[in-house]
Amino acid sequence: MLQEHIRNIAIIAHVDHGKTTLVDQMLKATHAFRDNQQVEERVLDSNDQERERGITILAKNISIEYNGVKINVIDTPGHADFGGEVERVLKMADGAVLLVDAAEGPMPQTRFVLSHAIAAGLSIMVCINKIDRGGADPEKALNDCLDLMMDLGADDAQLEFSMEHVVYASAVNGFARLDPEDGNGDMLPLMDMIVDSLPAPDVDLDGPLAMQCVTIDHSDYVGRVGIGRIYSGSIHTGDRILVVKNDGSRAMSQVKQLFTFDYLGRRECGEAQAGDIAAVVGVDSTDIGDVYTDPDNPVELEPIEIDPPTLSIVFEPSTSPLVGREGDIVGGRQLKERLEAERENNVTMRIEELPDKTGTEVSGRGILHLSVLMEQMRREGFEFQVGRPRVLFKKDEHGNTVEPVEQAVVECPGEFSGKVIEVFGNSGGAMVSMDAGTTQTHLEFKIPTRGIMGLKNRILNVTHGEAVFYHTFLEYGPYAGELGVRQNGAMISMSTEKAVAYALGTLQERGTLFVEPGTECYEGMLVGERSKPGDMVVNIARTKSLGNQRSSTADIAVQLTPPKTFSLEEALEYIMDDELVEITPRNVRMRKRILNETDRRKWRVRHGMVDK
């Protein structure tokens, strides 16, 4: 039976193609806000980091009422590091809106989310956004979308649906049109097409209850909240339900509270019916993939597999000489408790304490996935240190070691393509395809995840900053052997003092500096990179020795090049195995694991390592 008063749609787009802005305009078009209400832009990006980075990190649900139809909108992350969210939430949708930039066309991470939507059999409507920007070519963008869908194995019905259901929009200016030149000034053509063309949920209203949990929320008051779509039957507050786990184990539970989505919030209700998306309170320790069903007539649904993590990082309490100066929370116990709380909320991460209790290992889908957690913690006032990211290897059925392999895409001017291919070759990458356009060359590679670390900076260097670089997890492949690591040595501070301009002036001739005059440094801290292999211990506080004779000429002021600064992700990719990143609310510093030079030498001798 079709639930004609409900539409469940996912919005699919590459990072920065405007899907969160489009949702803003859909909310305004349906009068979700009062006329005089002050509303922030990108209202769905409620997380501070989502606003600053301009990306969606968490999949979110909202509901819009239009012409008597409830439209449940699922805003999906476009970045592959948050793909754990994408794969699950698409199970709640019956249709999708594919949003594509009219100038850029479909990009690599559009491919990632779109492939899952096609595999789920969703009807896909195309929305060509930003038709008013310079260089926009809506017709080419649409053709590229259809070509991409064919490449991803869309069937004839999906392709035909997408060809017939196209909207041209400018989300920033608040209009959608059936033809780019028709002059319409509101979003109603988009809303009409969603209601009239995307399929309504086809469900069994009178059947036994079947609901699958695809997203977990957490409340300090009620614990875990299971969010998912009801496939058949209905669920009521107070119902006794059977909970079937992914591993087949079963347990009884009771629905204490029930919510459905209402614009940007949730509304408590006594009943939710098949076809709708609901949030259930009362299932203890509920997890992704749990099926809530009728105890007397249980329904089986396919289990949900979450892609395994590919990278792990160890979090430790800070041992820096400057610990406690910038953060309020520095203890190991508080760090462990914070990470255990994250384990409750974030099911796509694996968080385990090390056997020797010295730290906590956090495993995720990529550097960005892990750095978002670190950034959140430093904003909460934590000071801690982390080691170099470690790729997680596995054994295949034959006992051979396999490692995560990524699909990497680079678009750059043709004259730099040779240099880009060389950089990938040195990092264990293999070119899959090359498409030379009139201005840009499109290159695709397969490369081990280990080789991705630090690669973006090298590509930007050889292309003079003109390359666009994306990568997504592809598969587990054969172990690629040892890969090249950082070639140049580090400049390491020999003392705990503030950096002095005179000392830095002499050091900048030996390499690249990371600090400027007045920067608080400590023994063992990385203050620069040498232009040669091998580490070098330096004095960053050396001053000019003053005699009792006047100089025949006035002292020439030291001319310093601005220091190289690192974002958190860049620092994680830069460090070596014997180094750490120290993270505080105000600074990201890199340091040696063993701060004292004499102790480092003893450690190297003890482990049979000889200094270069």
Side-chain angles (χ1 to χ4, degrees), residues 244-513:
V244 183
K245 298 277 187 186
N246 269 349
D247 61 5
S249 60
R250 301 179 171 212
M252 293 296 294
S253 196
Q254 184 171 21
V255 179
K256 294 177 181 173
Q257 283 179 294
L258 187 63
F259 297 87
T260 55
F261 291 89
D262 183 28
Y263 287 102
L264 293 172
R266 295 179 194 162
R267 178 168 49 85
E268 189 168 358
C269 59
E271 178 188 21
Q273 291 188 328
D276 210 346
I277 294 171
V280 175
V281 174
V283 181
D284 295 333
S285 303
T286 190
D287 222 329
I288 298 297
D290 285 2
V291 177
Y292 308 155
T293 187
D294 186 337
D296 300 325
N297 194 4
V299 177
E300 290 188 6
L301 296 174
E302 275 187 41
I304 294 176
E305 298 293 331
I306 301 174
D307 272 8
T310 56
L311 279 179
S312 74
I313 291 182
V314 174
F315 286 60
E316 306 168 12
S318 178
T319 55
S320 161
L322 305 180
V323 66
R325 293 197 189 180
E326 298 172 4
D328 304 321
I329 312 171
V330 298
R333 181 178 57 81
Q334 292 104 316
L335 181 66
K336 177 185 166 191
E337 288 173 356
R338 172 64 179 82
L339 291 170
E340 284 177 348
E342 186 68 22
R343 181 167 54 197
E344 286 296 308
N345 288 325
N346 196 335
V347 294
T348 57
M349 280 185 177
R350 194 168 67 222
I351 299 174
E352 298 166 341
E353 189 174 16
L354 294 178
D356 60 4
K357 311 290 187 188
T358 57
T360 303
E361 184 176 49
V362 179
S363 306
R365 291 285 289 270
I367 292 277
L368 181 61
H369 191 198
L370 294 163
S371 70
V372 164
L373 170 60
M374 297 175 203
E375 182 65 36
Q376 184 61 38
M377 289 173 63
R378 71 186 286 217
R379 292 177 187 210
E380 294 168 9
F382 281 87
E383 273 193 41
F384 55 98
Q385 62 194 31
V386 296
R388 190 181 188 212
R390 184 175 62 86
V391 168
L392 299 174
F393 300 109
K394 293 201 309 188
K395 295 284 186 185
D396 63 12
E397 60 271 20
H398 306 297
N400 300 318
T401 301
V402 292
E403 64 175 320
V405 176
E406 312 244 344
Q407 177 194 26
V409 176
V410 178
E411 293 195 353
C412 66
E415 66 262 31
F416 300 126
S417 56
K419 296 269 189 177
V420 170
I421 294 167
E422 183 182 340
V423 168
F424 270 91
N426 293 336
S427 302
M431 190 166 72
V432 176
S433 69
M434 177 176 180
D435 181 13
T438 51
T439 55
Q440 295 284 97
T441 298
H442 180 91
L443 301 159
E444 290 193 22
F445 300 87
K446 282 175 70 172
I447 180 170
T449 298
R450 287 180 298 144
I452 288 285
M453 291 187 214
L455 194 64
K456 186 173 184 179
N457 278 343
R458 298 205 293 277
I459 289 170
L460 290 176
N461 284 340
V462 299
T463 61
H464 300 178
E466 293 191 45
V468 180
F469 173 56
Y470 299 102
H471 59 93
T472 62
F473 172 73
L474 185 65
E475 61 191 4
Y476 272 85
Y479 177 64
E482 289 299 319
L483 297 180
V485 291
R486 189 176 83 214
Q487 299 299 312
N488 296 348
M491 295 184 196
I492 306 162
S493 174
M494 66 165 57
S495 58
T496 303
E497 295 178 84
K498 287 187 177 179
V500 173
Y502 179 76
L504 298 180
T506 56
L507 291 175
Q508 73 177 1
E509 299 168 10
R510 314 284 293 273
T512 305
L513 294 174

Side-chain angles (χ1 to χ4, degrees), residues 35 65 87 94 184 191 200 213 240 261 271-272 284-285 312 329 372 474 535 537 540 545 549 554 568 575:
D35 290 340
E65 289 280 345
E87 295 144 28
D94 299 292
N184 181 62
M191 307 298 296
C213 174
R240 296 282 295 169
F261 291 89
E271 178 188 21
D284 295 333
S285 303
S312 74
I329 312 171
V372 164
L474 185 65
D535 293 340
V537 178
I540 44 82
S545 55
Q549 293 177 327
L568 181 50
I575 59 171

Side-chain angles (χ1 to χ4, degrees), residues 58-96:
L58 303 170
K60 303 176 192 67
N61 300 64
I62 63 162
S63 144
I64 297 169
E65 289 280 345
Y66 180 69
N67 287 353
V69 176
K70 180 180 183 182
I71 305 170
N72 287 316
V73 180
I74 303 152
D75 184 28
T76 60
H79 200 287
D81 276 23
F82 309 104
E85 299 274 332
V86 172
E87 295 144 28
R88 303 192 310 272
V89 297
L90 288 178
K91 283 184 171 286
M92 295 193 284
D94 299 292

